[in-house]
Amino acid sequence: MATSSITQALFAQAAQHAAEYRRTVGDAAPPLSYAAMHAAFDAPTPERGMPAAEVVEDLVARSVPGLRAMTGPRFFGWVIGASHPVGVAADWLTAAWGQNAGNHEASPAAAAAETVAAQWLLDLLDLPRDASVGFVTGATIASFVCLAAARGAVLRRAGWNVEADGLFGAPPIHVLIGDDAHTSVFSALQFLGLGHDRVVRIATDAQGRMLARDVARAIVACAGPTIIIVQAGQLNTGAFDPIGEIVALARQCGAWVHVDGAFGLWARACQATAHLAAGFEAADSWATDGHKWLQTPYDCGYAIVRDAEAHRSAMTIAASYLPPVAAGERDPSHFVPELSRRARGFATWAMICHLGRDGIAAMVAEHCRLAKHMAARLACEVGVHVLNDVVLNQIIVRFGARDADDAADRMTLETIRRTQADGTCFAGGARWRDRWVMRLSVISAPTTEADIEQACDAICAAWRGVSGSNVSR
Ligand SMILES: *Cc1c(COP(=O)(O)O)cnc(C)c1O
């Protein structure tokens, strides 16, 4: 076969496998264990090559038994989007085109798609239209990028150039962060030399919201460069920090306010939920994900910064071999840590085109409605307790007893185990207020009310099995 027809057959083969996987994903059995999968892949380093079609067949045969049904309609684990087929198709093309998205001359199309998708994101999320956007791997690196910009800006105001001179000898930066912030934000602080423990932790309420009066108290002790990190959408409860009060306090002392809004910021893209995230537009930077509520395939996150100059200074230095950027041009690499990377703008552009503003709003509203419905149904079952106010798409559930209690911890963990083993749906566990909970996140595009009913039936059946047995003793 000529090279072109080999390529064509190979791509068709991959597409066929992908379509077949998607057709049956909702009915797939729970995946084999890591150990079983390691054994399936384990082999000596290949000495000689293998024909392309065989490689693809072999990859599919080995992988599929160990895939988790994250794109299926009854996956409620972590907070994970469903890699929408339109985003996947765009992403395949991205890979096939092989564009290095570093600069606008290397790939005019990749750079332009990103520029336009960035503008659409600002519009949909109703953030300052002249903010800058970096297309990164996810909210973790988005927070890293935003906090790098924050670090540079607050130190510049104190007469220090951290980009040039580093942190040694720099004025100290105060970092205020809620007790229930996502661990990934602490990772970002760790990467930036700000330390994951060298922070002022702000107490939170029962829903995980920062207490504004504690922020007010803490800020009094913060003379000089200060960064306040808030959350739009707490990972367990979906709660939003009291942004209005926090921004007012930040303004008084010139603090930078960063928002971790990995999924919750998308409440702003829906009229029915926008009130939950009102006021977050007053912050200085925002981290959010495409691969959660926008349903792009992995990986896709957005680092958004009000002060585009601070964003750029934190991420780039000029190099003589890279083309200069004229007014009106934009190099994707100026807003992210990487030079060479995937052209994530294409999948983002495609998803926004496909869903449209009204489609995104309808999806967010529907997921929030389904979450409320799911929580109400589960709460009807004797011994099942929903611990959070279901304001968004997140539900935390405890089995046996609401309070901290070892027996209820064991029953909750056993209910999670049985639910996962049954395989009708997937839900994971989390620690909340020193107790184990089942965490349910309704955020997959294909999820319908029928899926919620099926999942609730499966979870209640698992729980009845546990409560009827002697797991508690
Ligand atoms: C998922 C999540 C993150 C981390 O995002 P990644 O895309 O996994 O890097 C950060 N914060 C919150 C609130 C999240 O839900």
Side-chain angles (χ1 to χ4, degrees):
M1 268 196 284
T3 314
S4 69
S5 60
I6 291 174
T7 302
Q8 199 156 8
L10 187 70
F11 286 1
Q13 182 191 356
Q16 202 161 9
H17 278 299
E20 179 58 17
Y21 176 74
R22 286 299 177 98
R23 195 178 64 76
T24 54
V25 66
D27 321 315
L32 300 183
S33 67
Y34 169 75
M37 289 316 297
H38 186 261
F41 276 101
D42 199 21
T45 308
E47 297 298 335
R48 270 170 295 280
M50 193 197 269
E54 278 177 49
V55 173
V56 170
E57 285 307 312
D58 203 26
L59 176 64
V60 171
R62 285 175 209 263
S63 302
V64 169
L67 298 179
R68 176 89 60 197
M70 292 177 176
T71 60
R74 291 181 301 281
F75 184 84
F76 305 102
W78 302 286
V79 188
I80 276 182
S83 294
H84 194 288
V86 170
V88 171
D91 209 45
W92 280 350
L93 290 167
T94 303
W97 292 334
Q99 300 296 286
N100 183 319
N103 70 71
H104 70 280
E105 269 184 33
S107 179
E114 203 177 285
T115 301
V116 172
Q119 218 48 56
W120 289 355
L121 285 167
L122 296 175
D123 188 25
L124 290 166
L125 298 171
D126 193 17
L127 296 175
R129 303 304 193 268
D130 53 355
S132 52
V133 184
F135 286 61
V136 291
T137 50
T140 305
I141 298 303
S143 276
F144 166 78
V145 169
C146 290
L147 291 170
R151 183 183 69 167
V154 297
L155 285 178
R156 211 158 10 256
R157 284 181 223 142
W160 187 270
N161 181 347
V162 74
E163 282 95 19
D165 300 324
L167 276 176
F168 298 103
I173 300 176
H174 304 280
V175 177
L176 276 53
I177 185 167
D179 247 341
D180 291 304
H182 195 272
T183 46
S184 64
V185 184
F186 292 94
S187 300
L189 292 169
Q190 170 183 333
F191 306 153
L192 286 163
L194 296 175
H196 56 69
D197 285 347
R198 198 194 148 282
V199 294
V200 181
R201 293 184 78 122
I202 304 296
T204 50
D205 68 10
Q207 301 299 317
R209 287 177 295 235
M210 291 162 86
L211 298 176
R213 66 169 155 75
D214 271 41
V215 177
R217 210 175 292 147
I219 225 166
V220 174
C222 300
T226 303
I227 299 170
I228 308 177
I229 301 171
V230 300
Q231 197 162 226
Q234 205 281 334
L235 145 96
N236 292 310
T237 65
F240 294 77
D241 283 331
I243 186 69
E245 289 157 279
I246 292 174
V247 164
L249 290 164
R251 290 275 154 74
Q252 289 168 22
C253 66
W256 178 293
V257 178
H258 170 65
V259 180
D260 173 15
F263 62 97
L265 209 56
W266 288 88
R268 296 176 60 81
C270 169
Q271 215 181 358
T273 52
H275 66 280
L276 295 168
F280 280 88
E281 70 281 0
D284 297 288
S285 58
W286 304 264
T288 192
D289 269 321
H291 58 223
K292 288 181 177 173
W293 237 332
L294 188 57
Q295 317 286 323
T296 68
Y298 292 96
D299 43 25
C300 193
Y302 314 110
I304 308 173
V305 182
R306 176 186 297 277
D307 179 350
E309 216 35 62
H311 189 170
R312 231 197 113 161
S313 308
M315 289 295 120
T316 9
I317 52 172
S320 60
Y321 64 88
L322 294 175
V325 190
E329 293 173 343
R330 174 186 180 279
D331 276 349
S333 66
H334 286 168
F335 304 94
V336 299
E338 301 89 351
L339 178 56
S340 302
R341 70 171 166 87
R342 176 171 206 79
R344 297 186 185 96
F346 290 130
T348 299
W349 182 90
M351 281 312 302
I352 298 175
C353 279
H354 178 60
L355 295 173
R357 192 196 300 273
D358 59 354
I360 293 169
M363 177 176 61
V364 170
E366 178 65 359
H367 287 155
C368 295
R369 184 188 76 81
L370 291 174
K372 285 194 174 71
H373 176 64
M374 190 175 208
R377 253 217 63 184
L378 291 171
C380 285
E381 183 77 15
V382 175
V384 179
H385 307 276
V386 173
L387 295 194
N388 65 317
D389 299 339
V390 181
V391 292
L392 199 67
N393 66 322
Q394 300 293 115
I395 312 164
I396 46 176
V397 188
R398 188 150 159 90
F399 298 85
R402 173 175 285 275
D403 301 331
D405 163 314
D406 287 349
D409 269 347
R410 280 195 298 279
M411 288 192 280
T412 299
L413 288 172
E414 180 59 13
T415 305
I416 294 167
R417 194 193 66 74
R418 289 188 189 204
T419 300
Q420 291 181 357
D422 165 68
T424 302
C425 67
F426 182 89
R431 296 282 294 171
W432 179 249
R433 303 296 184 246
D434 293 324
R435 63 201 80 172
W436 280 103
V437 293
M438 173 187 278
R439 185 159 60 120
L440 296 157
S441 178
V442 184
I443 196 163
S444 292
T447 303
T448 64
E449 189 161 328
D451 292 309
I452 297 291
E453 298 296 344
Q454 245 182 297
C456 287
D457 288 345
I459 293 167
C460 290
W463 160 237
R464 283 174 207 151
V466 172
S467 62
S469 72
N470 58 359
V471 175
S472 62
R473 269 156 259 151

